[in-house]
Amino acid sequence: MKEVLKRAQEGQYAVGSFNFSTAEVLKAIVMAAKELNSPTIVSTSEGEGEFIGMAEAAALVGAWRHGTKLPIILNLDHGKSLESVKKAIEAGYDAIHFDGSAMSYDENIANTAAIVSYVKGIKEKFDREIIVEGELGYLRGSSSVHEEALEIKPEDLTSPEQAKDFVERTGVDSLAIVIGNAHGIFLKSEEGLNLERLAQIREALGEKVFLVLHGGSGIPEDDIKKAIELGIVKINVNTELRVAYQVGLVKELKEKPTETTPYKILAPSFDAVKSVVKEKIKLFGSEGKL
Ligand SMILES: [Zn+2]
């Protein structure tokens, strides 16, 4: 994982982190990465992991890694407690995102530092490389399509001074920042990024931390490209995959209401998810970066 992100940092591209909660969505992500020879991060939130099963997700990813020889990293997305972090690590996850952003600043630091120290213990005991991502700033929204307009307040954004202090006091490998991004797709507003703020954060942190952008769905392509130039190396995409899946499924069920074979019913969803992942891999610049 570190190697994959280090190479992205040096090569000025980003690796997509794509969420899944079913075997066919995981397969669609892997097939897209395989066709474009791209490293990939596949993620489950706590809810998604509970649905597919964390140990089962890890076993599936292991099988895909073996079958494709691709660097596929399994990541816990928005772990909210030490308990869920422990579960993911026991199941075999390679990367942990601990999200303490809803806590007070001091609580977020204390909890994130505790996770980093727990993971360090595991690394030493079992000789496993596990990367920890912290989160700072107020990330609005959820991974769905929002009818209401997005309103991001200046105080929601990650402060460069706090980011530096947070990284020093917690020892995280990566940091998810808020620079105008939000979870989900907002129909009534443009999700523009504050690139100046990103440059200031980069300046404050230097190259020792990997910068992560959540809410990759719905951000203008130009802003994504500029954010990558300014040092973003991991971009999370969930909502656009969910929408592609749902649209494909609804269309298929409407057109062939008597079809009962799951792999036929799910084929359009599979194709739609795969094509979104391919678009994102191209946009993020990780195509051919094995
Ligand atoms: Zn997120």
Side-chain angles (χ1 to χ4, degrees), residues 20-24 26-27 30 42-44 46-65 72 74 87-93:
F20 70 99
S21 58
T22 60
E24 75 280 5
L26 174 63
K27 182 179 177 181
V30 172
V42 291
S43 298
T44 67
E46 289 180 349
E48 288 162 342
E50 201 160 305
F51 182 75
I52 191 165
M54 285 179 140
E56 290 75 8
L60 283 168
V61 169
W64 282 119
R65 215 180 271 145
I72 308 170
L74 179 57
K87 257 198 229 167
I89 290 175
E90 274 163 30
Y93 280 51

Side-chain angles (χ1 to χ4, degrees), residues 11-26:
Q12 283 209 337
Y13 59 89
V15 180
S17 165
F18 303 102
N19 285 66
F20 70 99
S21 58
T22 60
E24 75 280 5
V25 168
L26 174 63

Side-chain angles (χ1 to χ4, degrees), residues 5-288:
L5 293 183
K6 194 81 219 160
R7 289 185 55 192
Q9 202 175 46
E10 284 162 8
Q12 283 209 337
Y13 59 89
V15 180
S17 165
F18 303 102
N19 285 66
F20 70 99
S21 58
T22 60
E24 75 280 5
V25 168
L26 174 63
K27 182 179 177 181
I29 298 165
V30 172
M31 291 292 105
K34 178 75 189 155
E35 277 179 29
L36 297 177
N37 292 312
S38 171
T40 329
I41 301 165
V42 291
S43 298
T44 67
S45 64
E46 289 180 349
E48 288 162 342
E50 201 160 305
F51 182 75
I52 191 165
M54 285 179 140
E56 290 75 8
L60 283 168
V61 169
W64 282 119
R65 215 180 271 145
H66 183 76
T68 59
K69 310 283 178 245
L70 287 177
I72 308 170
I73 291 142
L74 179 57
N75 171 58
L76 171 68
D77 188 32
H78 293 279
K80 299 267 168 61
S81 65
L82 181 58
E83 196 197 347
S84 74
V85 168
K86 280 182 179 169
K87 257 198 229 167
I89 290 175
E90 274 163 30
Y93 280 51
D94 313 293
I96 297 296
H97 165 224
F98 175 71
D99 178 5
S101 63
M103 299 170 177
S104 72
Y105 181 62
D106 287 334
E107 263 186 291
N108 188 1
I109 288 192
N111 282 276
T112 307
I115 302 278
V116 170
S117 123
Y118 172 76
V119 169
K120 209 174 156 206
I122 296 284
K123 277 185 192 168
E124 282 163 7
K125 199 167 165 194
F126 301 101
D127 193 27
R128 272 177 70 186
E129 203 211 17
I130 302 164
I131 203 166
V132 180
E133 172 184 332
E135 179 159 336
L136 196 57
Y138 180 34
L139 193 65
R140 293 179 183 268
S142 60
S143 297
S144 56
V145 179
H146 302 278
E147 294 287 340
E148 75 280 9
L150 170 66
E151 197 203 332
I152 295 178
K153 300 195 167 109
E155 62 268 29
D156 294 346
L157 302 187
T158 307
S159 119
E161 297 76 28
Q162 271 195 350
K164 188 166 189 286
D165 182 57
F166 184 86
V167 168
E168 280 169 4
R169 288 165 66 187
T170 58
V172 288
D173 305 291
S174 320
L175 186 66
I177 56 173
V178 180
I179 50 169
N181 47 314
H183 282 137
I185 296 172
F186 290 82
L187 299 176
K188 291 200 186 90
S189 43
E190 177 94 318
E191 247 183 279
L193 296 181
N194 186 329
L195 296 161
E196 198 184 323
R197 178 61 64 96
L198 170 56
Q200 291 161 351
I201 295 170
R202 170 84 282 168
E203 173 84 26
L205 295 179
E207 297 249 308
K208 60 179 186 292
V209 183
F210 301 121
L211 292 180
V212 178
L213 189 69
H214 282 244
S217 301
I219 295 173
E221 291 201 354
D222 258 7
D223 276 16
I224 293 275
K225 283 185 184 156
K226 284 182 194 136
I228 294 170
E229 278 171 33
L230 289 169
I232 292 286
V233 295
K234 170 176 175 265
I235 302 178
N236 289 34
V237 179
N238 193 354
T239 312
E240 283 184 54
L241 307 187
R242 290 181 171 187
V243 170
Y245 189 91
Q246 190 257 6
V247 169
L249 191 56
V250 168
K251 188 166 173 280
E252 181 68 10
L253 291 173
K254 263 193 191 150
E255 282 171 9
K256 296 174 198 155
T258 56
E259 180 58 65
T260 56
T261 308
Y263 68 79
K264 289 183 182 166
I265 294 173
L266 292 172
S269 294
F270 176 89
D271 292 340
V273 170
K274 188 177 149 194
S275 98
V276 173
V277 175
K278 283 177 81 171
E279 264 172 44
K280 297 296 173 191
I281 287 174
K282 287 180 182 164
L283 175 62
F284 301 163
S286 69
E287 181 180 5

